[in-house]
Amino acid sequence: MSDPQEPMQEQAVITPEVAEPTPEPSLPPPPKRKGPVDSGTLSTLQSLLGTIAIAVFVITFIVQAFTIPSESMEKTLLIGDYLLVDKAHFAEGPAHWFMPYKKIQRQEIIVFRYPVHPSMYFVKRVIGLPGDHVRLIDKKVFVNGIALNEPYVVYSRPFDAFRDDFPNGPRYSFEIDAHWASEMHTLVEDHQLIVPDGYYFVMGDNRDDSSDSRYWGFVPRENIVGRPLLIYFSADHRDTPPPTGTMGDKLWNLALRLRQLPGDIRWKRVVRLVR
């Protein structure tokens, strides 16, 4: 028998450890199969090509930007006016079937390729249509015997017999094109110039300072590009020297133009319809 006085020995209590689950090692995602062209790149390319196609279509058939370099259309159009020209208005050929084509009207403003040098563009007002009889008497324009109402016209010089009594003034002017000088009087009947079929007689609104049909002849229908629709910007740079000379001079003049630009902007002419 055991001694009742002998203390009892404590038995060690073993607490089992709680094992935390070990995370499984993460596996890398399976590689994506790449096609011949990434879809994002293809979408960007398609958008870019679409934008280019739309821009080419607009420039070719709808509108084109031009700037006014001379004073021949003052005060309707000023030097430094930037225009959007509506090319669809007078569209012919294939474009005629899906464009809002309209016939050219007398006293409309048009942009056209200069017949003497077709690489140049002019802007003038239509005075005579095919078949019209045109003459000037003391600066006043008559078409088919009726005086035109021209509130847009500006006169700036004294009377000149060739310019202001056309075509019945002197046969020669130092400004007249030689070919036109020999042809013009073959088209005069009863003191009136007859506009041939397929051609237009045009003049500038600044009537005394305009190189127009009086000096170089008619505008062929195929040379007409469109009509000015909108002045989207206008600035008067006449007091700023042009960027000429050495590269340093050009950079200096350009910096000067940019510095003066805020004061040169004609704010009342910005985003203005041409009439």
Side-chain angles (χ1 to χ4, degrees):
M1 289 180 61
S2 61
D3 186 352
Q5 298 298 319
E6 184 178 356
M8 295 180 62
Q9 295 182 355
E10 295 181 355
Q11 294 182 353
V13 178
I14 300 175
T15 304
E17 294 181 356
V18 178
E20 295 182 357
T22 303
E24 295 181 3
S26 59
L27 298 176
K32 294 181 179 180
R33 294 184 178 179
K34 294 184 179 180
V37 180
D38 182 76
S39 59
T41 303
L42 182 60
S43 177
T44 302
L45 181 60
Q46 289 174 336
S47 299
L48 178 61
L49 292 176
T51 302
I52 294 174
I54 293 172
V56 170
F57 176 83
V58 169
I59 293 173
T60 303
F61 296 110
I62 301 179
V63 296
Q64 188 171 348
F66 289 89
T67 183
I68 300 299
S70 75
E71 65 277 6
S72 67
M73 283 297 291
E74 291 182 349
K75 302 290 186 180
T76 306
L77 298 173
L78 306 180
I79 297 175
D81 281 351
Y82 292 79
L83 310 176
L84 286 181
V85 173
D86 175 9
K87 299 173 67 175
H89 196 76
F90 302 136
E92 284 192 332
H96 168 65
W97 299 103
F98 56 90
M99 293 294 181
Y101 171 79
K102 293 184 180 180
K103 290 185 177 180
I104 298 170
Q105 303 294 321
R106 194 179 294 115
Q107 296 183 290
E108 277 191 300
I109 302 173
I110 61 172
V111 174
F112 56 92
R113 297 181 184 88
Y114 181 33
V116 180
H117 298 291
S119 61
M120 300 173 61
Y121 290 88
F122 276 20
V123 55
K124 305 290 179 186
R125 194 179 293 271
V126 174
I127 300 299
L129 304 176
D132 279 349
H133 292 58
V134 179
R135 71 179 299 185
L136 278 76
I137 302 176
D138 193 19
K139 295 181 180 285
K140 187 68 177 177
V141 177
F142 291 80
V143 178
N144 302 323
I146 301 173
L148 289 185
N149 179 27
E150 299 184 295
Y152 44 79
V153 168
V154 172
Y155 300 104
S156 58
R157 296 187 183 183
F159 175 83
D160 175 84
F162 176 86
R163 182 188 66 219
D164 301 324
D165 272 344
F166 183 87
N168 300 303
R171 288 176 173 266
Y172 176 77
S173 168
F174 71 93
E175 298 175 275
I176 191 172
D177 177 74
H179 177 75
W180 173 237
S182 62
E183 178 188 8
M184 177 178 63
H185 291 281
T186 65
L187 300 169
V188 175
E189 181 179 300
D190 192 24
H191 305 291
Q192 302 174 95
L193 182 70
I194 303 174
V195 184
D197 187 37
Y199 292 85
Y200 296 82
F201 187 89
V202 300
M203 299 176 73
D205 289 356
N206 187 0
R207 198 54 54 81
D208 296 342
D209 198 6
S210 171
S211 173
D212 51 39
S213 286
R214 293 170 291 181
Y215 298 97
W216 41 255
F218 304 110
V219 178
R221 177 62 183 86
E222 59 267 21
N223 283 36
I224 297 176
V225 174
R227 68 181 180 102
L229 178 65
L230 179 75
I231 301 171
Y232 66 89
F233 183 74
S234 181
D236 184 358
H237 295 303
R238 284 176 293 183
D239 296 332
T240 306
T244 58
T246 65
M247 181 59 68
D249 292 337
K250 291 181 179 180
L251 291 175
W252 172 257
N253 290 339
L254 178 59
L256 183 61
R257 291 170 73 93
L258 292 175
R259 181 181 178 182
Q260 295 180 349
L261 181 60
D264 291 342
I265 297 175
R266 303 183 185 106
W267 294 104
K268 291 184 179 181
R269 297 184 67 81
V270 176
V271 191
R272 176 178 174 179
L273 293 175
V274 178
R275 301 184 184 279

Short mmCIF file of all heavy atoms in Angstrom, two decimals, residues 48 81 93 112 143 164 181 210 221 260:
data_model
loop_
_atom_site.label_atom_id
_atom_site.label_comp_id
_atom_site.label_asym_id
_atom_site.label_seq_id
_atom_site.Cartn_x
_atom_site.Cartn_y
_atom_site.Cartn_z
N LEU A 48 -8.16 55.51 -86.17
CA LEU A 48 -7.30 56.46 -86.85
C LEU A 48 -7.60 56.51 -88.34
O LEU A 48 -7.73 57.59 -88.93
CB LEU A 48 -5.83 56.10 -86.61
CG LEU A 48 -4.79 56.99 -87.31
CD1 LEU A 48 -4.91 58.43 -86.82
CD2 LEU A 48 -3.39 56.46 -87.05
N ASP A 81 -8.58 87.54 -92.80
CA ASP A 81 -9.75 86.71 -92.52
C ASP A 81 -9.43 85.26 -92.90
O ASP A 81 -8.85 85.00 -93.96
CB ASP A 81 -10.96 87.17 -93.34
CG ASP A 81 -11.64 88.39 -92.75
OD1 ASP A 81 -11.29 88.79 -91.62
OD2 ASP A 81 -12.51 88.97 -93.44
N GLY A 93 -20.27 66.82 -111.11
CA GLY A 93 -19.63 65.52 -111.28
C GLY A 93 -20.25 64.49 -110.34
O GLY A 93 -21.43 64.58 -109.96
N PHE A 112 -12.35 80.43 -106.50
CA PHE A 112 -12.07 79.74 -107.77
C PHE A 112 -10.57 79.72 -108.04
O PHE A 112 -9.79 80.50 -107.47
CB PHE A 112 -12.81 80.41 -108.93
CG PHE A 112 -12.50 81.89 -109.08
CD1 PHE A 112 -11.47 82.32 -109.91
CD2 PHE A 112 -13.23 82.83 -108.38
CE1 PHE A 112 -11.18 83.66 -110.05
CE2 PHE A 112 -12.94 84.19 -108.50
CZ PHE A 112 -11.91 84.60 -109.33
N VAL A 143 -26.39 94.97 -115.78
CA VAL A 143 -26.48 93.61 -116.30
C VAL A 143 -27.81 93.48 -117.04
O VAL A 143 -28.88 93.71 -116.46
CB VAL A 143 -26.39 92.56 -115.17
CG1 VAL A 143 -26.55 91.16 -115.74
CG2 VAL A 143 -25.06 92.69 -114.43
N ASP A 164 -13.73 101.93 -115.23
CA ASP A 164 -15.05 102.38 -114.80
C ASP A 164 -16.04 102.59 -115.93
O ASP A 164 -17.23 102.82 -115.68
CB ASP A 164 -14.91 103.68 -114.00
CG ASP A 164 -14.02 103.49 -112.77
OD1 ASP A 164 -14.08 102.40 -112.18
OD2 ASP A 164 -13.27 104.42 -112.42
N ALA A 181 -6.86 90.98 -123.62
CA ALA A 181 -6.95 92.23 -124.36
C ALA A 181 -7.34 92.00 -125.81
O ALA A 181 -8.11 92.76 -126.41
CB ALA A 181 -5.63 92.99 -124.27
N SER A 210 -9.19 96.00 -107.50
CA SER A 210 -9.45 94.57 -107.63
C SER A 210 -8.99 94.08 -108.99
O SER A 210 -9.41 94.61 -110.03
CB SER A 210 -10.94 94.28 -107.45
OG SER A 210 -11.23 92.93 -107.77
N ARG A 221 -16.51 77.46 -115.50
CA ARG A 221 -17.30 76.77 -114.46
C ARG A 221 -16.47 75.74 -113.71
O ARG A 221 -16.61 75.61 -112.48
CB ARG A 221 -18.53 76.09 -115.09
CG ARG A 221 -19.38 75.28 -114.12
CD ARG A 221 -19.95 76.18 -113.05
NE ARG A 221 -20.72 75.45 -112.04
CZ ARG A 221 -20.20 74.88 -110.96
NH1 ARG A 221 -18.89 74.93 -110.76
NH2 ARG A 221 -20.97 74.26 -110.09
N GLN A 260 1.84 90.15 -80.27
CA GLN A 260 0.83 91.13 -80.63
C GLN A 260 -0.51 90.50 -81.00
O GLN A 260 -1.50 91.21 -81.17
CB GLN A 260 1.33 91.98 -81.81
CG GLN A 260 2.54 92.84 -81.48
CD GLN A 260 2.99 93.67 -82.67
OE1 GLN A 260 2.53 93.46 -83.79
NE2 GLN A 260 3.89 94.60 -82.43
#
